[in-house]
Amino acid sequence: MTKGNINVSVENIFPLIKKFLYSDHEIFLRELISNATDATLKLKHLTNIGEAKVEYGNPQIEVKIDKEGKKLHIIDQGLGMTAEEVEKYINEVAFSGAEEFLDKYKDSAKDSGIIGHFGLGFYSAFMVANKVEIITKSYKDESAAHWTCDGSPEFTLEASDKTDRGTEIVLHIAEDSTEFLEESRIRELLLKYNKFMPIPIKFGTKEIDDPDFTPKTIKDKEGNETTEPHKKITVDDIINNPNPAWTKQPSDLEEQDYKDFYRELYPMQFEEPLFNIHLNVDYPFNLTGILYFPKMTQDLNMQKDRIQLYQNQVFVTDNVEGIVPEFLTMLRGVIDSPDIPLNVSRSYLQADGAVKKISSYITRKVADKLKSLFNNNREDFEAKWNDIKIVIEYGMLSEEKFFEKADAFALYPTVDGSYYTYEELYNKIKANQTDKDDKLVILYASNKDEQHSYIETAKAKGYEVLLLDSPIVSHLMQKLETTKENISFARVDADHIDKLIKKEDTTISKLDEEQTKTLDELLKEVIPSEKFMVQLEAMDSNDSPFMITQPEFMRRMKEMQATGGGGMFGMGNMPEMYNLVVNTNSELVSDILATKTKKKQERLINQGLDLARLSQGLLKGEELTNFIKRSYEMIK
């Protein structure tokens, strides 16, 4: 038997490991199973190239709880270690990283996952155990070894009578970590971190129907015919899927395989995904994965933390901001890359050069997939537009390269249910919706019902009206106006249609200068100036007498501030101000001027104003009650 001191100058390494990683001490199981997986895969490689003259077989990793003995066992059938290798890899190599760890982190805050970054994965066992044993036999023809350490720098290393190849780690669980002796807790961790590990993981046994048993028809005690009960057999409970869909070639998968894998990832999700994107690249970095577009809500915050990040099928995190482009954090699925460091902080990941390239690649791949979906089945793409537009619009705003590519598939729906790409829209409306200053005016509505009368007025002139109703559309319009040449967006209720798209011909007012002045004074006496700016406009006599509009710039700035941005304009604290456009050529205006009594004039003005407010959903409460009462009196 050998006794010795682990090669480290700081004697309180184990308490420090526990202290620095206490908030994330559950990762010990991930680390130990990752080591077991590596040992198994290395053996597979050595047998494939003929260097290991042993039978690889069908190895598995087993996790066993000994609750009475307060022990947790992790057993693999990998390449194992000789006593010399234990001495080297456990006592020396790992602890050369330990000193670096201490030097760098002893005075800083906790950095969960830092152990693996310094080659200390095995020693994470001491976060939950007060003694750890390694019983191991190499695939080489050498004696087995038994290493024991109680959390001090002292260890023992002696021969073992283990005869089968592989390594068994025995953790003597500490009093403050007895949760890791509970089957439910270990199962939870195995499913969280190791659900898709490439080597089968056994955790206990389970009973299943015997697949080779054919039930016979038998008679019960009363002589009635019945079917013989199904025979049960006990099998290993393999809790992981070693060959998940993302590790296969897209050509080997059917649409149903992708749907089944989505169910595997999100068993509590009942809606089918809209479509998927299979990522598969081996240069300039390695990356595989499957991303799914779920049905989106209008809420930007509800969707995140659904993409799972893996390194060689080992779960790393589901907080992928900074690794995946932000607009894609609303998607679901899996990304797996050996080039993503397994055990470092997110700030480290975000600064990593390989990670930045991965982010850029994913953006391009998603854009290419969306383009091909649009080209291959436009009708289906249009049908799904409302459920995916929030991701695409967000991407156009946040990623310049995605914005450039999105011209090929981003859609602009109209109130009548037609869908145009930007180029199609431009060609469709250019002749009719270019104003006298040669600017193309793109009209849109955000609510078909609330803005119905304005939409109808625009359509009567042959104008197309888009339906743009996502919460970030104001930001997107701003981006398009600054990127595309000589265009502007205007909501149909931002002004009278002839003001929104100004043509050369102007309508002449029926009123002379004196009548116009009288009307202006009358209106300003009745209409509250803190809410409405009165504008007298000469329009078609059939147009509405009174029309309420809200200036495009002011409303848009308020909307942008509400969804982040636009705050510099200070619009959020401003009272709601509207324009009241009064048609000087309307019959109502003529009636107001012809009416002899002040009281009746006020009544007509209030009625006209309230009708305009009603059409915009601005008439509520007591004012609505008074309007209804006044309207009945006028009918009488």
Side-chain angles (χ1 to χ4, degrees):
M1 181 172 79
T2 305
K3 285 191 175 185
N5 274 14
I6 292 165
N7 181 21
V8 61
S9 58
V10 181
E11 297 218 352
N12 60 352
I13 178 72
F14 296 106
L16 277 164
I17 286 174
K18 195 154 187 169
K19 175 189 170 190
F20 278 102
L21 279 159
Y22 190 76
S23 64
D24 203 15
H25 59 316
E26 66 179 38
I27 63 133
F28 82 93
L29 191 59
R30 180 187 78 179
E31 297 297 320
L32 296 179
I33 290 178
S34 294
N35 288 350
T37 302
D38 285 346
T40 311
L41 292 175
K42 281 173 183 169
L43 180 69
K44 184 179 184 180
H45 177 67
L46 292 176
T47 55
N48 285 343
I49 63 173
E51 195 169 308
K53 309 293 185 187
V54 294
E55 185 72 32
Y56 177 68
N58 296 299
Q60 63 183 27
I61 294 163
E62 183 176 7
V63 179
K64 285 199 303 191
I65 296 171
D66 172 4
K67 197 165 184 179
E68 203 173 306
K70 295 187 176 178
K71 290 184 283 189
L72 183 68
H73 301 251
I74 293 99
I75 306 158
D76 71 59
Q77 296 160 0
L79 77 174
M81 287 182 283
T82 63
E84 189 183 343
E85 286 168 337
V86 171
E87 181 85 50
K88 179 180 177 183
Y89 295 117
I90 301 299
N91 295 342
E92 293 173 18
V93 174
F95 266 87
S96 64
E99 292 204 76
E100 185 186 349
F101 166 73
L102 285 173
D103 288 344
K104 190 164 184 181
Y105 287 96
K106 62 186 175 186
D107 297 322
S108 69
K110 295 175 196 171
D111 189 334
S112 65
I114 207 70
I115 271 188
H117 183 42
F118 286 93
L120 294 172
F122 165 72
Y123 280 97
S124 63
F126 286 96
M127 292 190 294
V128 300
N130 51 30
K131 183 167 90 171
V132 178
E133 298 177 70
I134 302 172
I135 305 154
T136 182
K137 177 162 175 43
S138 172
Y139 71 95
K140 300 168 186 171
D141 188 21
E142 291 193 36
S143 302
H146 185 174
W147 179 92
T148 308
C149 180
D150 64 0
S152 72
E154 293 177 359
F155 70 89
T156 62
L157 181 60
E158 56 191 331
S160 164
D161 57 5
K162 180 176 169 68
T163 55
D164 53 327
R165 180 194 71 223
T167 300
E168 178 174 1
I169 309 287
V170 184
L171 280 67
H172 296 257
I173 300 297
E175 285 302 321
D176 62 357
S177 298
T178 53
E179 64 183 283
F180 299 112
L181 293 169
E182 300 297 330
E183 184 186 332
S184 59
R185 181 71 169 118
I186 295 299
R187 185 174 292 274
E188 174 200 341
L189 292 181
L190 290 171
L191 289 172
K192 177 178 178 180
Y193 291 110
N194 307 106
K195 189 176 179 178
F196 300 112
M197 291 290 274
I199 305 298
I201 299 168
K202 176 186 174 184
F203 186 52
T205 58
K206 61 182 178 181
E207 276 199 340
I208 62 165
D209 291 336
D210 184 351
D212 299 324
F213 177 73
T214 307
K216 297 173 186 169
T217 301
I218 57 171
K219 290 188 177 179
D220 62 17
K221 289 177 184 176
E222 285 77 34
N224 300 316
E225 285 195 349
T226 184
T227 305
E228 187 180 11
H230 217 294
K231 186 181 173 186
K232 300 280 186 184
I233 57 170
T234 301
V235 296
D236 291 347
D237 186 6
I238 303 298
I239 68 157
N240 62 321
N241 173 3
N243 302 297
W246 84 79
T247 63
K248 300 172 185 175
Q249 289 298 318
S251 56
D252 296 335
L253 296 167
E254 303 287 337
E255 192 57 39
Q256 192 57 46
D257 296 319
Y258 287 109
K259 288 179 179 177
D260 291 345
F261 182 58
Y262 185 75
R263 287 273 162 273
E264 203 175 339
L265 283 174
Y266 309 105
M268 302 308 293
Q269 189 58 235
F270 301 111
E271 280 192 330
E272 293 282 354
L274 296 167
F275 49 80
N276 63 74
I277 298 170
H278 197 131
L279 306 167
N280 197 341
V281 64
D282 52 20
Y283 182 82
F285 46 79
N286 285 294
L287 181 135
T288 53
I290 300 171
L291 296 179
Y292 293 92
F293 270 74
K295 279 194 170 186
M296 294 292 167
T297 68
Q298 296 281 49
D299 186 349
L300 289 168
N301 299 313
M302 291 298 288
Q303 310 291 334
K304 296 184 180 181
D305 293 350
R306 297 293 179 85
I307 293 177
Q308 298 173 13
L309 184 68
Y310 287 77
Q311 190 224 59
N312 289 328
Q313 295 175 238
V314 183
F315 176 79
V316 179
T317 181
D318 56 8
N319 186 344
V320 294
E321 284 183 59
I323 301 156
V324 171
E326 192 181 354
F327 77 102
L328 294 178
T329 59
M330 293 184 281
L331 302 188
R332 293 177 187 158
V334 166
I335 290 168
D336 189 335
S337 174
D339 295 321
I340 292 175
L342 181 58
N343 285 318
V344 292
S345 66
R346 216 154 53 82
S347 58
Y348 179 96
L349 278 175
Q350 289 168 6
D352 186 78
V355 170
K356 285 180 178 172
K357 286 178 189 165
I358 286 168
S359 177
S360 170
Y361 163 77
I362 293 170
T363 299
R364 190 177 77 248
K365 185 75 177 176
V366 169
D368 291 345
K369 175 71 173 185
L370 289 167
K371 184 179 177 181
S372 78
L373 286 166
F374 174 76
N375 290 340
N376 295 340
N377 191 341
R378 177 164 179 164
E379 193 178 332
D380 182 60
F381 193 84
E382 288 179 359
K384 289 171 177 170
W385 178 254
N386 269 340
D387 292 314
I388 62 172
K389 66 185 177 190
I390 195 90
V391 177
I392 293 171
E393 289 172 355
Y394 194 8
M396 290 169 74
L397 281 169
S398 58
E399 297 283 333
E400 202 56 45
K401 286 182 179 172
F402 187 81
F403 178 81
E404 290 162 13
K405 284 179 169 282
D407 251 3
F409 54 80
L411 293 177
Y412 299 87
T414 71
V415 290
D416 296 322
S418 299
Y419 291 83
Y420 299 108
T421 63
Y422 180 81
E423 187 180 358
E424 290 165 350
L425 178 69
Y426 183 87
N427 292 332
K428 170 91 175 164
I429 67 174
K430 190 175 188 305
N432 200 25
Q433 288 180 218
T434 301
D435 67 12
K436 64 183 180 62
D437 300 318
D438 210 31
K439 179 169 273 196
L440 182 71
V441 181
I442 302 170
L443 299 173
Y444 72 99
S446 59
N447 186 304
K448 281 203 292 188
D449 293 333
E450 288 177 11
Q451 292 143 24
H452 182 267
S453 63
Y454 299 91
I455 293 168
E456 291 304 305
T457 303
K459 283 165 69 176
K461 290 187 174 285
Y463 297 152
E464 284 285 352
V465 181
L466 302 182
L467 181 62
L468 304 178
D469 57 1
S470 83
I472 57 172
V473 78
S474 297
H475 297 270
L476 183 59
M477 289 186 296
Q478 203 82 352
K479 170 101 176 161
L480 289 163
E481 285 170 344
T482 55
T483 311
K484 307 289 186 186
E485 204 172 316
N486 219 15
I487 67 154
S488 70
F489 283 81
R491 206 167 86 176
V492 283
D493 59 347
D495 208 332
H496 184 268
I497 194 66
D498 292 338
K499 282 296 190 78
L500 293 176
I501 305 178
K502 292 178 183 173
K503 304 288 186 176
E504 291 298 347
D505 56 322
T506 53
T507 309
I508 298 166
S509 177
K510 290 179 184 176
L511 306 184
D512 60 28
E513 198 175 324
E514 194 176 328
Q515 287 172 311
T516 303
K517 187 181 175 189
T518 304
L519 177 65
D520 191 46
E521 288 169 357
L522 272 171
L523 291 167
K524 284 176 178 172
E525 282 175 23
V526 180
I527 290 162
S529 60
E530 70 277 7
K531 291 184 181 176
F532 298 99
M533 292 272 294
V534 176
Q535 288 176 215
L536 301 182
E537 300 285 351
M539 298 184 287
D540 191 288
S541 58
N542 294 321
D543 285 342
S544 298
F546 285 23
M547 186 169 75
I548 289 171
T549 64
Q550 190 172 26
E552 177 74 17
F553 172 79
M554 187 178 290
R555 192 203 64 255
R556 202 191 294 181
M557 287 306 114
K558 287 176 80 74
E559 286 173 359
M560 286 170 69
Q561 190 181 46
T563 53
M568 69 188 85
F569 297 100
M571 295 289 169
N573 302 320
M574 286 184 68
E576 288 284 352
M577 277 293 292
Y578 297 91
N579 293 334
L580 178 67
V581 182
V582 178
N583 181 2
T584 59
N585 290 340
S586 68
E587 199 176 323
L588 178 62
V589 164
S590 299
D591 288 347
I592 291 168
L593 286 171
T595 299
K596 302 297 180 197
T597 67
K598 198 89 165 169
K599 192 174 180 183
K600 194 174 178 188
Q601 282 179 325
E602 286 179 8
R603 206 162 154 196
L604 286 170
I605 291 167
N606 278 323
Q607 192 71 1
L609 173 63
D610 284 352
L611 282 165
R613 292 167 80 193
L614 191 66
S615 73
Q616 280 280 54
L618 297 173
L619 198 60
K620 293 169 185 169
E622 186 182 353
E623 290 175 324
L624 179 58
T625 306
N626 292 338
F627 166 74
I628 294 167
K629 189 178 176 184
R630 185 173 67 240
S631 299
Y632 278 127
E633 285 171 1
M634 290 175 84
I635 293 169
K636 286 186 235 171

